[in-house]
Amino acid sequence: MGTNNKKLKIVFIGNFDRLYDEEGKARSFEILGCDVVRITESSFSKNDLNNIKLLKPDIILSAKFLIREDLLKDLFSFAKKEAIKTVAWHPDLYHFPSPVANQLRLAMITNRQGLWAADYVFSPDGCSDSNKLYKRCEINHHLIRQAPYHDTVGIYCKSDISDLTTKSVIPILFVGSMYNISDPFRIHMIKFLQQHYGEDFLWLGQTEHQVREERLSTLISKTKIVLGDSVYYPGYWSNRIYESIGRGGFVIHPYVPGIEEDFKENEECVFYNRWDFSDLKNKIDYYLKHKDERSIISKKGLERVKKDHTLLNRCKQILEILNEKAG
């Protein structure tokens, strides 16, 4: 694989309605010279399986492989017989730290079911405990962080967001929902900000698709300080930090072990001690008054995302790993 000029053929099973689902990844692979055949995951049928068998791609890729169990078994069996690589690229944290919520997912991992039966599993889970589990279960897991599509990075669109805010300047912004958040930290953070900053704090994104793509770019362009957050798990952080910094936002984010590898503290992003709201308030109050410092940090952060943290970077990483193994 990758030793001649033949285009690499990828069958991509996923959701391609929105750029921030699988479409951004599919386009990134195409930019890198791959031939991508898109198949909608939610309507995957026997006909789709037969078409894949006729195509005989080099790679069969999916985020989650959420297709009917008998079809998935047949698909993986065919791929193994034809020496086609099966690749799962899960976009989020899968192995949650909560033991109650995690029982079903843990069983999927240990029994190598669903996406965990793929030849390669890529995910943004950099936690050492998770990776010990993957190794013990003989899962070929590789760390691939989340990232924005390159065309959204540094693009300041002026889309209509009048339904979100009439403010010309937003001092403090958080975009994120409470959906499926078992960690109580976020609700405490939001209550603290509402109590101390009142109308200077704007909380949006309570619904999944409320603020995305161009609307998010416009919103961040009007904002002084963007607050980050993620489910707490050492070695993992969500796409929020890349999406916000990649749109030119000045971001203050709770510290997570390992995050300094992606963004230099006080140079490309500012961190504070999680649950230490006095630390958070001190940093918000300081940077609200220091526009020049905010500007320097946000510009350096944006350059870092452009250089190292786009979907093109991530797709290159995946192709390099697949080529390395093939060699």
Side-chain angles (χ1 to χ4, degrees), residues 13-55:
I13 304 168
N15 174 15
F16 305 99
D17 292 338
R18 294 177 291 263
L19 193 63
Y20 52 86
D21 290 324
E22 278 78 63
E23 180 59 22
K25 296 175 182 178
R27 292 185 192 182
S28 297
F29 279 119
E30 288 172 334
I31 289 168
L32 294 173
C34 300
D35 182 8
V36 180
V37 178
R38 295 163 175 77
I39 296 178
T40 303
E41 185 176 62
S42 60
S43 59
F44 192 90
S45 66
K46 184 71 174 177
N47 285 338
D48 292 312
L49 177 59
N50 290 336
N51 287 335
I52 292 172
K53 290 180 177 181
L54 290 174
L55 284 168

Side-chain angles (χ1 to χ4, degrees), residues 293-311:
E293 290 186 44
R294 291 200 318 265
S295 178
I296 290 168
I297 291 172
S298 63
K299 285 177 182 176
K300 286 185 177 179
L302 176 57
E303 289 306 312
R304 182 67 183 276
V305 173
K306 284 181 179 178
K307 179 177 177 286
D308 295 327
H309 301 311
T310 69
L311 281 177

Side-chain angles (χ1 to χ4, degrees), residues 52-69:
I52 292 172
K53 290 180 177 181
L54 290 174
L55 284 168
K56 290 190 178 179
D58 301 289
I59 298 167
I60 299 172
L61 169 67
S62 180
K64 301 175 182 177
F65 281 108
L66 288 177
I67 62 176
R68 213 171 68 201
E69 188 175 350

Side-chain angles (χ1 to χ4, degrees), residues 148-156 242 245-248 263 298-314 316:
Y149 185 59
H150 73 282
D151 261 4
T152 65
V153 174
I155 303 300
Y156 299 103
Y242 305 106
I245 294 177
R247 286 174 164 80
F263 294 103
S298 63
K299 285 177 182 176
K300 286 185 177 179
L302 176 57
E303 289 306 312
R304 182 67 183 276
V305 173
K306 284 181 179 178
K307 179 177 177 286
D308 295 327
H309 301 311
T310 69
L311 281 177
L312 277 175
N313 296 112
R314 307 307 187 227
K316 284 178 185 176

Side-chain angles (χ1 to χ4, degrees), residues 23-214:
E23 180 59 22
K25 296 175 182 178
R27 292 185 192 182
S28 297
F29 279 119
E30 288 172 334
I31 289 168
L32 294 173
C34 300
D35 182 8
V36 180
V37 178
R38 295 163 175 77
I39 296 178
T40 303
E41 185 176 62
S42 60
S43 59
F44 192 90
S45 66
K46 184 71 174 177
N47 285 338
D48 292 312
L49 177 59
N50 290 336
N51 287 335
I52 292 172
K53 290 180 177 181
L54 290 174
L55 284 168
K56 290 190 178 179
D58 301 289
I59 298 167
I60 299 172
L61 169 67
S62 180
K64 301 175 182 177
F65 281 108
L66 288 177
I67 62 176
R68 213 171 68 201
E69 188 175 350
D70 60 321
L71 296 179
L72 183 61
K73 185 177 179 181
D74 193 348
L75 178 66
F76 281 176
S77 176
F78 162 75
K80 185 175 182 180
K81 180 182 176 183
E82 298 293 333
I84 297 168
K85 296 183 189 308
T86 52
V87 178
W89 185 0
H90 196 278
D92 300 305
L93 183 65
Y94 187 94
H95 180 230
F96 283 92
S98 168
V100 175
N102 202 38
Q103 286 306 309
L104 179 58
R105 290 188 170 206
L106 184 61
M108 294 288 286
I109 295 169
T110 54
N111 295 321
R112 294 202 61 180
Q113 296 176 321
L115 69 94
W116 301 99
D119 297 324
Y120 298 81
V121 178
F122 298 97
S123 90
D125 186 353
C127 179
S128 59
D129 287 344
S130 293
N131 284 278
K132 286 175 186 175
L133 171 65
Y134 302 146
K135 188 173 183 180
R136 189 165 66 247
C137 296
E138 299 183 336
I139 291 166
N140 187 14
H141 177 267
H142 298 266
L143 173 64
I144 296 290
R145 297 290 181 196
Q146 299 179 73
Y149 185 59
H150 73 282
D151 261 4
T152 65
V153 174
I155 303 300
Y156 299 103
C157 306
K158 293 298 177 186
S159 58
D160 183 15
I161 58 168
S162 57
D163 59 317
L164 300 174
T165 180
T166 57
K167 291 177 178 287
S168 58
V169 176
I170 303 161
I172 308 160
L173 171 71
F174 176 72
V175 179
S177 72
M178 290 295 177
Y179 174 72
N180 204 24
I181 298 291
S182 57
D183 187 341
F185 172 78
R186 184 172 297 179
I187 187 62
H188 284 276
M189 178 189 75
I190 288 170
K191 284 182 177 178
F192 175 85
L193 293 164
Q194 289 172 333
Q195 178 184 349
H196 286 273
Y197 294 100
E199 292 184 357
D200 282 345
F201 170 61
L202 180 62
W203 172 33
L204 294 170
Q206 291 93 323
T207 58
E208 185 180 2
H209 305 295
Q210 184 184 25
V211 191
R212 296 278 192 155
E213 297 182 352
E214 290 187 2

